[in-house]
Amino acid sequence: MKLFLTGLISFWLYTLSVFGYTLPDVVTQAGAVADTNVTPGLTVTVTKSDTLPPTGNTADDLLAGLTDSSEVQPLLPHRMLFTQRAFWGPKGLLRTINVAPLTPESRARELKVRRTMLVTHQIGGFVTLAGFVAQGLLGAKLYNAKGEDYLKTKRWHERTATFINITYGTTLALSLTTPPPIVGAKRGFTSIKLHKYLAIVHLTGMVATNILAHMIQKDFSLKPYHRAAAYTTFGAYAASVVALTF
């Protein structure tokens, strides 16, 4: 009978340990056996994590558990645009004058500023694209206009060109001076990289279009080149907006 009771108690203690129940007065804070009446050979260990209060079961908590806490997330990416580095780099202008110190708190605010600037950049892109469409219609009309109609269309064409230069320049400045992200660009071909490659094309076309627009005043034979540069700029710009949107 005594053997049976001893076996029953051993089985009961083993079951409790398997299902994670805490045995009172059995383990110390360090996890060592303290009660000498426990059946020999049975050891229950309480780890540090078992003594912590339970946390929520949200996705953030689950992902946080998969992160190595020993890794320190860098505050700045290794690769940045030269304009971003000039303003937001470790030795950038805003760091030097202590407007934006390189701290985790400051970087958190910068990421909010980055989001606002990129949203404004995207809105400016659509506004500029609408200006390109209007400019294209006016340009096509200007090629066939005569007399008073020509002068009136030319004035609107010049006003629209000024509007486009302002919105285009503002949109470009927002893109070049936005605070850098936490991590650098992903490897491989992405829509963001396509957007940047097309930006080089339409920026070159924009400069060429403006230069040719002034040269036409002295040499009207340059009109076809001006029109070709304008259409190329519009095509590259429209494609870059589509690439970033979709």
Side-chain angles (χ1 to χ4, degrees):
M1 184 67 177
K2 183 178 180 180
L3 182 62
F4 172 78
L5 291 176
T6 302
L8 182 61
I9 293 173
S10 299
F11 176 79
W12 176 68
L13 291 174
Y14 176 79
T15 304
L16 290 178
S17 65
V18 169
F19 286 94
Y21 288 94
T22 303
L23 300 181
D25 300 326
V26 174
V27 292
T28 64
Q29 293 181 353
V33 178
D35 193 339
T36 56
N37 293 326
V38 179
T39 305
L42 175 62
T43 303
V44 181
T45 303
V46 177
T47 62
K48 183 178 180 181
S49 60
D50 295 329
T51 63
L52 296 176
T55 59
N57 57 353
T58 62
D60 291 339
D61 293 330
L62 294 176
L63 290 175
L66 297 177
T67 305
D68 187 358
S69 59
S70 63
E71 294 182 358
V72 178
Q73 181 70 33
L75 295 179
L76 291 172
H78 294 293
R79 299 180 62 182
M80 291 182 283
L81 295 174
F82 71 94
T83 49
Q84 289 179 327
R85 189 173 296 278
F87 286 98
W88 305 99
K91 298 181 180 179
L93 176 62
L94 297 179
R95 311 291 186 202
T96 304
I97 62 178
N98 206 33
V99 171
L102 189 56
T103 62
E105 294 77 13
S106 179
R107 285 293 288 142
R109 291 190 294 269
E110 289 173 20
L111 292 179
K112 293 181 181 180
V113 173
R114 172 183 172 82
R115 177 177 177 82
T116 301
M117 292 180 68
L118 290 181
V119 170
T120 307
H121 167 78
Q122 192 171 15
I123 294 173
F126 284 111
V127 173
T128 306
L129 182 62
F132 272 125
V133 173
Q135 184 76 326
L137 296 175
L138 289 170
K141 183 179 180 180
L142 186 63
Y143 271 87
N144 299 319
K146 296 180 180 180
E148 185 66 23
D149 187 34
Y150 174 83
L151 295 176
K152 183 178 179 180
T153 304
K154 187 174 183 295
R155 283 195 296 269
W156 278 106
H157 185 76
E158 291 174 349
R159 292 170 183 171
T160 307
T162 302
F163 172 79
I164 291 175
N165 284 330
I166 293 174
T167 58
Y168 183 92
T170 303
T171 304
L172 179 63
L174 288 171
S175 175
L176 294 177
T177 59
T178 181
I182 288 293
V183 295
K186 296 181 179 179
R187 293 184 177 181
F189 186 79
T190 63
S191 59
I192 298 297
K193 289 185 178 180
L194 176 61
H195 177 78
K196 292 180 179 180
Y197 296 151
L198 290 171
I200 297 174
V201 177
H202 63 66
L203 177 58
T204 304
M206 191 72 178
V207 174
T209 301
N210 279 278
I211 292 175
L212 290 170
H214 290 285
M215 295 177 65
I216 285 176
Q217 305 299 327
K218 298 180 180 180
D219 187 358
F220 288 97
S221 64
L222 296 175
K223 279 187 176 182
Y225 301 101
H226 171 73
R227 180 167 54 182
Y231 285 160
T232 301
T233 303
F234 170 75
Y237 194 86
S240 69
V241 171
V242 172
L244 187 62
T245 304
F246 302 101

